Amino acid sequence: MKELLIEKIGHSEINEVAGILTDAFKTNPAYSIIFKNKNRSEEGLLWLFKASLTLNNYKQILTRVIKEKDTGKIIGTFTLIPPGVKNGIAIYSKIGIPCFISKFGLKSFVRILGLDDCNKSSLTKSMETSEYYYLSMVVVRKEYRGMGIGSYAIQYIIQELISSNPVCGLIGLTTQLPENVTFYSRLGFEKLDEGFIDFKGDRYYNYNMKLNIPSNPLKR
């Protein structure tokens, strides 16, 4: 495996990372139902991920980028949201909502706002607690998959939490892809449940998973 760096996302990197996320999620069963006009769905998803990255990194940097050490090329990303983190309404003025609605319609905007809440609500119900780290938008560029980079990133997340003073002992995630269930299971995650989620007249299949963060042996 190539030598890698994992760093906090920089503001100048948001557009590139949004493009990586768009390429990865454009065929995802959940994200593909947001935009009824399929000819503009890729453009809409790009806006969605730019907005998500802006919101998730406004008060504190929660997104990491995975880079080749020798070239500095961004080859992957992930976002880990601690429990209790919420964005105030004022931040939405920074992401160009009126422009989005004029391009893609109010219904698409409502779907964008609802999808993540829908997934997280399902996960919270399965976790039986709202106190967990929410792992989302984990992506490795297509041409770099199968090299152990995704596993390296997840192990990095776990070790970083172990060595810090985590506010809780759980990581939770949702995924719509069965191959991701296999991937996360190999890394110690437990599948909590699975099934269809009904979302504004559409439905998609979803899996909820969790990981108990191991304790730090040095703090025992």
Side-chain angles (χ1 to χ4, degrees):
M1 187 175 70
K2 294 177 177 290
E3 284 194 84
L4 304 174
L5 293 173
I6 296 181
E7 300 177 339
K8 293 181 178 181
I9 191 171
H11 180 75
S12 63
E13 296 170 327
I14 284 179
N15 285 352
E16 182 178 355
V17 174
I20 294 171
L21 292 169
T22 299
D23 186 60
F25 281 94
K26 62 187 177 185
T27 58
N28 180 283
Y31 286 88
S32 63
I33 64 175
I34 292 177
F35 300 95
K36 293 303 183 181
N37 184 345
K38 299 307 177 186
N39 294 327
R40 305 199 68 184
S41 62
E42 207 164 321
E43 182 186 358
L45 285 174
L46 183 61
W47 184 94
L48 163 62
F49 289 120
K50 285 180 183 178
S52 294
L53 290 166
T54 299
L55 296 174
N56 285 332
N57 297 284
Y58 178 61
K59 293 182 178 178
Q60 57 180 309
I61 306 300
L62 303 177
T63 299
R64 300 291 187 272
V65 288
I66 309 164
K67 297 180 178 180
E68 289 182 332
K69 188 174 183 178
D70 55 346
T71 67
K73 179 180 179 180
I74 298 174
I75 60 175
T77 184
F78 60 85
T79 297
L80 186 68
I81 303 174
V85 171
K86 293 182 179 180
N87 290 301
I89 295 175
I91 181 60
Y92 284 88
S93 65
K94 293 182 175 289
I95 58 176
I97 290 173
C99 181
F100 176 88
I101 292 174
S102 69
K103 278 188 174 183
F104 304 104
L106 181 60
K107 287 185 178 180
S108 291
F109 180 66
V110 170
R111 281 173 171 258
I112 281 177
L113 293 181
L115 182 62
D116 192 59
D117 285 343
C118 186
N119 283 337
K120 198 165 183 184
S121 175
S122 171
L123 178 59
T124 298
K125 183 178 179 180
S126 299
M127 298 278 284
E128 298 182 336
T129 178
S130 59
E131 293 295 305
Y132 59 87
Y133 288 89
Y134 182 40
L135 180 60
S136 69
M137 296 191 287
V138 181
V139 167
V140 174
R141 284 185 189 267
K142 188 181 297 183
E143 63 269 30
Y144 288 88
R145 294 172 194 167
M147 299 181 183
I149 295 169
S151 298
Y152 175 84
I154 300 303
Q155 289 163 355
Y156 174 92
I157 294 166
I158 296 168
Q159 290 303 316
E160 188 176 56
L161 287 174
I162 290 173
S163 63
S164 66
N165 187 22
V167 297
C168 69
L170 293 171
I171 301 174
L173 64 86
T174 67
T175 182
Q176 293 75 49
L177 305 178
E179 58 265 35
N180 284 352
V181 176
T182 302
F183 167 75
Y184 286 112
S185 295
R186 288 201 303 264
L187 295 168
F189 283 78
E190 171 192 353
K191 185 179 75 172
L192 297 172
D193 55 32
E194 62 180 277
F196 282 103
I197 289 183
D198 293 313
F199 179 70
K200 300 187 183 300
D202 288 297
R203 60 181 355 210
Y204 58 90
Y205 208 79
N206 184 71
Y207 304 87
N208 294 314
M209 305 188 74
K210 77 168 183 178
L211 174 76
N212 292 303
I213 301 169
S215 60
N216 188 338
L218 298 178
K219 295 184 178 180
R220 289 176 183 171

